Amino acid sequence: MNSQITFPENLTDFLYWIKTTTEAFWLSVPKDEPIYGAKWLPLTDQQIDELELKYSIQFGVEHREFLKILHTIDKHYINEEESDDHIEMQYEETEEQRKKREFWSPPYRPSYFYNWITEKEWIESRLAWIDDFYISDILGVNASWLRSWGPRPESDNEKIRIFREWYHKAPRLLPITAHTFLMDHNGQGLRPVLSVYGFDTITYGWNLRHYLLREFDKELGLTATYYDKEYQEEFTDLIMGIPELDALQKIRLADADIPYWKEVITYYDHPGKPSWQGFWVDWTPET
């Protein structure tokens, strides 16, 4: 692997490079692997427009271009036979419980990246995921509450009102895959890909480009083997020495401008406690 590689600067060219490189890799794997021969399934401008209208959302420039060139693939990495999706329920549940369970996790495996055309139930559940999960954290045993919201009121209805007032001003998080989301067009600053479990929200990539480079590191030939002297073992990580990738990996959370959601990402940080600051940034306590 040439560590001096430069990725296409133009977003469209970059996404087409992701497309051709990953598809070539998937064609090179053994034919008995589930991902063999996988292809991306892009959307048209008209389809994307219709999705925005249907769900009352607006994709950011990067997200929209991603959907036009990549969107999702036509295969899974995991054998369906090895999946636990079809395990029978071990207890009886009411119709209301079943509907709630299937809303949060529809009864079939979603695409590796969500298919916005065919997976209506998954898309709807993910769009509701943020609101529902944060409210459950606020009203539940965690009693989570951001400092910017001011004193915590006694009334649950008032807590929900304050949260939703903040939430409707914040850039909306739109689903990509599993519980990862990308910010919409609203606001300035970085638009990281976030993994969201209520207030347990972390960064998966500082932007869509970074996320894709990390997500497809093996397919893109961006991995290297290193030796950890402390633990005396080898480990695999992104290759060092690629200018753009190095710069992204060394961004510090403390220096990042992230509208609204930065307060959530840093919710569990405490003074003097080592906390995550970046992918290649040491976990050192603040002085």
Side-chain angles (χ1 to χ4, degrees), residues 10-26:
N10 176 272
L11 176 61
T12 300
D13 294 341
F14 173 80
L15 293 173
Y16 274 116
W17 172 70
I18 295 284
K19 180 180 188 296
T20 56
T21 307
T22 53
E23 287 184 350
F25 180 89
W26 293 327

Side-chain angles (χ1 to χ4, degrees), residues 4 19 31 38 40 50 65 71 127 156 169 178 180-181 200 204 216 233 251:
Q4 297 307 309
K19 180 180 188 296
K31 292 185 178 180
W40 290 96
E50 291 172 351
E65 199 69 5
H71 175 228
L127 288 173
D156 285 350
K169 292 177 182 177
T180 59
F181 299 79
D200 184 9
Y204 261 38
F216 296 111
E233 62 183 14
I251 290 176

Side-chain angles (χ1 to χ4, degrees), residues 261-279:
W261 294 101
K262 184 173 182 177
E263 188 178 6
V264 179
I265 298 169
T266 59
Y267 182 74
Y268 289 108
D269 289 359
H270 302 285
K273 172 182 173 290
S275 59
W276 186 90
Q277 278 294 319
F279 297 94

Side-chain angles (χ1 to χ4, degrees), residues 15-245:
L15 293 173
Y16 274 116
W17 172 70
I18 295 284
K19 180 180 188 296
T20 56
T21 307
T22 53
E23 287 184 350
F25 180 89
W26 293 327
L27 198 58
S28 72
V29 303
K31 292 185 178 180
D32 59 349
E33 291 195 15
I35 199 65
Y36 172 77
K39 297 285 187 182
W40 290 96
L41 302 173
L43 300 180
T44 65
D45 277 313
Q46 180 178 343
Q47 286 175 313
I48 298 171
D49 290 342
E50 291 172 351
L51 289 169
E52 290 184 328
L53 184 62
K54 178 178 181 178
Y55 294 111
S56 299
I57 58 177
Q58 186 172 351
F59 296 107
V61 173
E62 285 189 344
H63 202 162
R64 188 180 183 94
E65 199 69 5
F66 167 82
L67 295 174
K68 286 173 60 177
I69 298 170
L70 301 177
H71 175 228
T72 190
I73 56 177
D74 59 359
K75 295 189 177 183
H76 296 294
Y77 276 98
I78 303 173
N79 276 312
E80 291 298 323
E81 295 177 357
E82 299 174 358
S83 168
D84 61 0
D85 290 352
H86 305 297
I87 295 177
E88 293 184 6
M89 299 296 296
Q90 300 299 312
Y91 60 89
E92 292 186 6
E93 59 181 351
T94 65
E95 181 67 11
E96 182 179 352
Q97 289 173 326
R98 182 191 65 79
K99 288 181 179 179
K100 183 176 182 180
R101 173 176 57 81
E102 292 187 356
F103 173 78
W104 281 96
S105 183
Y108 59 88
R109 178 178 292 281
S111 300
Y112 177 60
F113 285 88
Y114 290 125
N115 189 320
W116 283 78
I117 302 302
T118 64
E119 295 171 353
K120 175 177 176 290
E121 293 85 356
W122 274 103
I123 296 298
E124 289 179 346
S125 71
R126 296 304 99 164
L127 288 173
W129 169 274
I130 308 293
D131 184 273
D132 289 346
F133 218 134
Y134 277 95
I135 288 177
S136 68
D137 264 5
I138 290 168
L139 303 184
V141 294
N142 291 335
S144 302
W145 194 256
L146 296 182
R147 291 183 180 179
S148 64
W149 295 343
R152 188 198 318 270
E154 293 294 330
S155 164
D156 285 350
N157 288 336
E158 183 64 8
K159 293 174 188 174
I160 294 172
R161 184 196 67 77
I162 291 172
F163 161 72
R164 285 188 170 153
E165 184 178 283
W166 174 91
Y167 180 59
H168 289 302
K169 292 177 182 177
R172 189 163 186 184
L173 302 184
L174 302 179
I176 299 179
T177 180
H179 47 86
T180 59
F181 299 79
L182 180 64
M183 290 184 188
D184 69 5
H185 73 293
N186 186 30
Q188 303 299 315
L190 283 175
R191 302 187 191 286
V193 174
L194 301 178
S195 167
V196 179
Y197 267 99
F199 282 79
D200 184 9
T201 294
I202 63 174
T203 304
Y204 261 38
W206 291 116
N207 55 30
L208 181 61
R209 284 173 71 100
H210 189 210
Y211 170 74
L212 292 173
L213 292 172
R214 290 178 53 80
E215 188 72 10
F216 296 111
D217 54 354
K218 181 181 178 182
E219 291 87 339
L220 301 173
L222 299 178
T223 61
T225 301
Y226 302 94
Y227 185 76
D228 188 313
K229 293 182 180 179
E230 180 180 355
Y231 293 97
Q232 296 186 357
E233 62 183 14
E234 292 184 339
F235 66 97
T236 301
D237 198 356
L238 288 168
I239 193 167
M240 298 181 181
I242 303 174
E244 179 183 349
L245 194 51

